[in-house]
Amino acid sequence: GGFFCYHGHIKIWEVAHGKTIMLLFRGRRGNEHKHGNRRRSSRKRGSCGCRGQTFFFHVYFRSAAHTLEVADELRVGGVVVIEKYTEVLSQYELEILDVRRGRGAWLCETNQGLKLLREYKGTIKRLDFEDQVFTQLEEAWHPFVDRYVRNREGELLSSADDGTRWIVKDWYADKECNLKDDKEVLRAITQIASLHKMLREIEFKEEWNLGSILVQLPGDEMERHNRELIRARSFIRNKRNKTEFELCVIGNYDMFFEQARDARLGMKEFCAYHGDEECYLCHGDLNQHHILMCPRDVAVVEFNRMHLGMQMEDLYHFMRKAMEKHDWSLKLGTSMLETYSKILPLSDTDRTCLYYLFLYPEKYWKQINFYYNANKAWIPARNIEKLKDLELQQPLRNEFLSRIK
């Protein structure tokens, strides 16, 4: 699609080669117009009330090439403004059937299936690294992933005239994993285990040794979070008139901080002894939003945080989200671990790593950190409820921890 800005009368333009553009428009002062059903202004009988106003017409085209062709032919005293995505899509061997906005991207229906177009601000080396990993995954496994599409020049990255850089990749219109559905959760766990198994077989190359590949060890991250907890508690202690949220923090801080301290010490020791031997390629951002439930399989998308690290962190992040939704159900937690082990058996080392990751009260830290870095004069009631729920769930959480220790 594109936009045509025109001062004056409203028309439907006939374009060369028998192509017709349909213009949809709206006046800025509340006067709405539609071809064949025009609303008249009350100022003057027979007037549409659009004199001196600027209208933006959304134009629907059959392809990106058609858009550019039409733009060259529309010249009636106005200014033609072509969206960036049409300029970028014209660089690909794709027939565009439909384009719609997504969250920070464009979803494109093409003759080769659904594609996603997004502006890219990373490095070319990072793209090459991800593409090489996808190639090796497809050779061994044929996974459902959001692989990048190369343009006519064979490049992964395409540039617009204004210097912005864009990528196109495969996409899926299926819904995200529903964490409240046990069956979908276990299907997702099966796919996570399969992905981890294949990633372990990929030999890490020296050329992949980029800054984005190396991440902070979980023990160091826990240490940083603990400093933030101490700083927030000190701030609350020094306040005179405490809110309900702050009173809740004072009441349960010692219980949660003790677990945070033990988790940090245990994870530091674990990383010192097993850090190097447990490093494999990881997804890096596994949650329900990046796991799509396709009819025939489960798609895993958004590998832009893929790195060399502990795969148990991937499993932990997804499991924790699911466990919180199910009030730390021991049955579900056990089923997830058993399902994962059927594909990729969990060693004693893996279980130890999982234990320290689950021991750290990450949800509690998130609530405190949000409070400390936000407007402390007003705290949403929902945040107070979350803090109270964490305290109520603590016995069930401790029971689950005792089972995986």
Side-chain angles (χ1 to χ4, degrees):
F3 290 91
F4 174 69
C5 177
Y6 171 67
H7 292 270
H9 297 290
I10 300 164
K11 297 182 180 180
I12 293 182
W13 295 91
E14 292 293 338
V15 186
H17 312 299
K19 300 171 184 174
T20 303
I21 303 176
M22 181 176 66
L23 305 182
L24 306 181
F25 39 83
R26 176 172 292 179
R28 287 185 176 177
R29 299 179 185 174
N31 296 315
E32 298 185 1
H33 310 274
K34 196 170 184 180
H35 184 65
N37 186 22
R38 184 178 65 188
R39 295 184 182 180
R40 296 183 175 180
S41 169
S42 59
R43 288 179 294 176
K44 184 177 178 181
R45 185 179 181 86
S47 170
C48 66
C50 64
R51 182 174 298 174
Q53 298 183 41
T54 301
F55 291 82
F56 292 89
F57 307 89
H58 199 159
V59 187
Y60 293 88
F61 304 104
R62 288 197 293 271
S63 67
H66 184 198
T67 304
L68 299 175
E69 180 182 347
V70 168
D72 289 336
E73 298 178 18
L74 284 177
R75 294 289 182 270
V76 193
V79 179
V80 177
V81 182
I82 300 298
E83 286 283 353
K84 289 181 190 175
Y85 76 82
T86 60
E87 180 185 339
V88 175
L89 288 175
S90 64
Q91 302 177 37
Y92 291 81
E93 293 287 353
L94 296 172
E95 181 183 349
I96 309 303
L97 307 176
D98 184 36
V99 179
R100 61 185 184 275
R101 275 197 179 276
R103 286 184 290 185
W106 294 94
L107 293 173
C108 311
E109 292 284 355
T110 76
N111 61 329
Q112 298 180 26
L114 186 64
K115 307 296 178 185
L116 183 136
L117 172 68
R118 176 182 291 158
E119 187 176 355
Y120 183 75
K121 297 184 179 179
T123 64
I124 297 178
K125 286 186 177 180
R126 173 73 199 193
L127 279 182
D128 287 335
F129 156 65
E130 292 179 29
D131 189 62
Q132 289 180 46
V133 172
F134 290 154
T135 299
Q136 294 191 45
L137 284 176
E138 287 189 352
E139 290 174 354
W141 182 33
H142 301 289
F144 280 57
V145 295
D146 53 337
R147 182 158 191 186
Y148 298 108
V149 178
R150 294 183 180 271
N151 59 25
R152 288 194 179 96
E153 304 298 324
E155 302 293 336
L156 296 171
L157 205 57
S158 300
S159 299
D161 287 342
D162 61 358
T164 55
R165 302 180 303 165
W166 300 74
I167 52 98
V168 173
K169 57 184 179 179
D170 298 333
W171 201 248
Y172 307 88
D174 305 281
K175 65 184 182 69
E176 298 174 352
C177 177
N178 180 9
L179 293 180
K180 295 182 179 180
D181 187 328
D182 292 8
K183 292 181 179 179
E184 288 195 8
V185 168
L186 295 180
R187 280 185 66 197
I189 288 290
T190 299
Q191 192 72 344
I192 291 171
S194 300
L195 174 65
H196 283 172
K197 186 176 181 179
M198 292 299 105
L199 288 175
R200 289 190 180 193
E201 296 179 5
I202 295 178
E203 184 178 355
F204 189 82
K205 299 179 181 179
E206 188 63 31
E207 63 191 73
W208 294 349
N209 196 12
L210 311 172
S212 59
I213 302 298
L214 307 174
V215 297
Q216 191 176 34
L217 291 173
D220 296 333
E221 189 176 14
M222 290 176 181
E223 186 173 5
R224 176 170 56 85
H225 290 173
N226 286 356
R227 290 197 299 268
E228 293 165 349
L229 286 173
I230 293 171
R231 188 160 55 244
R233 196 267 302 267
S234 299
F235 173 81
I236 292 173
R237 271 185 170 178
N238 294 329
K239 284 193 67 176
R240 291 187 177 180
N241 299 321
K242 295 179 175 58
T243 63
E244 184 180 0
F245 179 89
E246 292 159 348
L247 290 173
C248 285
V249 173
I250 294 297
N252 56 30
Y253 178 85
D254 291 338
M255 172 180 63
F256 285 109
F257 187 75
E258 182 181 357
Q259 288 188 331
R261 183 187 58 210
D262 292 345
R264 182 193 69 83
L265 292 173
M267 185 55 75
K268 279 276 192 179
E269 185 177 352
F270 176 86
C271 291
Y273 285 99
H274 305 285
D276 293 337
E277 64 187 58
E278 291 299 314
C279 282
Y280 302 100
L281 286 175
C282 311
H283 180 278
D285 194 18
L286 264 184
N287 54 49
Q288 70 275 23
H289 306 300
H290 299 156
I291 298 179
L292 308 179
M293 312 308 292
C294 305
R296 294 184 293 115
D297 209 334
V298 177
V300 182
V301 297
E302 301 296 4
F303 283 77
N304 50 294
R305 293 188 182 179
M306 183 165 53
H307 64 275
L308 193 64
M310 297 179 181
Q311 290 184 339
M312 289 302 101
E313 285 191 88
D314 277 350
L315 180 60
Y316 155 73
H317 284 302
F318 182 80
M319 283 187 63
R320 182 181 66 82
K321 292 280 189 179
M323 294 294 285
E324 288 172 354
K325 292 290 184 183
H326 291 265
D327 292 327
W328 291 90
S329 166
L330 186 60
K331 180 181 178 182
L332 178 62
T334 303
S335 297
M336 285 192 284
L337 293 176
E338 290 176 351
T339 301
Y340 187 94
S341 296
K342 289 178 182 177
I343 307 295
L344 185 61
L346 288 169
S347 64
D348 291 339
T349 304
D350 292 332
R351 287 182 172 272
T352 301
C353 181
L354 272 178
Y355 171 75
Y356 288 123
L357 289 170
F358 274 109
L359 180 62
Y360 194 88
E362 186 172 350
K363 187 69 174 291
Y364 182 79
W365 163 79
K366 283 186 175 181
Q367 295 301 313
I368 304 300
N369 192 54
F370 174 82
Y371 155 82
Y372 188 74
N373 292 302
N375 180 12
K376 304 171 186 64
W378 178 78
I379 302 167
R382 179 59 183 150
N383 288 37
I384 301 172
E385 292 177 12
K386 287 181 180 179
L387 206 58
K388 291 180 177 179
D389 288 342
L390 288 176
E391 192 170 357
L392 292 174
Q393 291 178 349
Q394 190 66 357
L396 297 172
R397 179 171 169 269
N398 289 337
E399 185 180 359
F400 173 72
L401 285 169
S402 67
R403 293 295 184 92
I404 65 172
K405 188 172 181 179

